[in-house]
Amino acid sequence: MDMITIRVARPADLEAVGRVHVDVWRHAYQGVVPPSFLDRMDPAVSAERFRKRLSDPKQAFWVALAGEDVVGFASGGPNRLEDFDADAEIYTLYVSPLWQGRGIGRRLVGQLADWFIQQGHQSVAVVAFRDNPWRRFYERLGGIVVGEKTFEIDGVALPEVVYRWPDVEDLRVRAK
């Protein structure tokens, strides 16, 4: 595998994070998310949206680097899903389309799991679009579907599934 470094995200990474975010959405969510939304996505807007995660001590934000280039990122923190029982939540996990399938996502999840354990979290949840072609990744890591919800984009209700790991340590072991 190419040399990949995982480290805490920095403000200087945000421009590249915004590009990866938009690239992944446009690649993975064709036919899932309305094209009107995908067409409007702007890397600069995405980068700014992620800026607050850098300064929130209750959240973790990691980047994957190939050399100096950001090729993926992940973030997480306390569970925000009111209807689903978990201590922590994986908020984002994105790997550039050109870098997928090389274990980078697994390593990023492992890094988040380590951080969740350090913070005293016992269980983890993540939400994925039901029609996301990559959502089986979470099942391969032992995630169990515990429910469904919807997310609206441009007036279209998109079905989502919620995965849960009752034991963060199990997720950590599977991701390593």
Side-chain angles (χ1 to χ4, degrees):
M1 175 165 100
D2 299 290
M3 180 58 93
I4 299 295
T5 305
I6 309 286
R7 67 161 167 74
V8 172
R10 302 174 184 155
D13 299 324
L14 290 174
E15 183 179 334
V17 163
R19 280 194 307 272
V20 169
H21 180 245
V22 171
D23 288 349
V24 170
W25 270 65
R26 288 180 176 161
H27 175 78
Y29 300 147
Q30 289 277 338
V32 176
V33 171
S36 56
F37 181 82
L38 296 176
D39 291 344
R40 283 194 322 272
M41 289 186 77
D42 180 339
V45 172
S46 289
E48 197 54 41
R49 200 179 95 209
F50 290 115
R51 183 171 301 284
K52 70 179 179 179
R53 294 199 180 154
L54 292 178
S55 60
D56 186 341
K58 294 180 181 175
Q59 295 185 32
F61 192 170
W62 302 90
V63 292
L65 303 167
E68 297 296 316
D69 297 328
V70 173
V71 297
F73 66 95
S75 66
N79 182 17
R80 306 168 300 182
L81 304 167
E82 295 176 8
D83 296 335
F84 298 96
D85 179 38
D87 299 328
E89 180 185 352
I90 297 171
Y91 300 153
T92 60
L93 175 62
Y94 297 109
V95 176
S96 178
L98 296 175
W99 288 87
Q100 291 174 358
R102 301 182 195 205
I104 297 168
R106 182 179 294 274
R107 288 185 57 198
L108 285 164
V109 168
Q111 194 70 50
L112 281 174
D114 285 343
W115 186 84
F116 291 148
I117 290 168
Q118 291 169 8
Q119 300 303 306
H121 296 299
Q122 302 295 312
S123 57
V124 180
V126 68
V127 179
F129 288 125
R130 185 189 65 205
D131 297 332
N132 175 351
W134 299 101
R135 77 177 176 97
R136 302 281 184 242
F137 169 82
Y138 298 119
E139 293 171 12
R140 289 192 301 275
L141 289 177
I144 301 161
V145 175
V146 293
E148 294 187 8
K149 56 194 278 325
T150 59
F151 186 72
E152 187 174 308
I153 296 179
D154 284 358
V156 177
L158 302 171
E160 297 177 307
V161 292
V162 179
Y163 288 95
R164 182 175 184 272
W165 291 265
D167 182 0
V168 178
E169 177 62 25
D170 181 56
L171 173 60
R172 187 191 71 76
V173 168
R174 289 172 180 260
K176 295 294 178 167

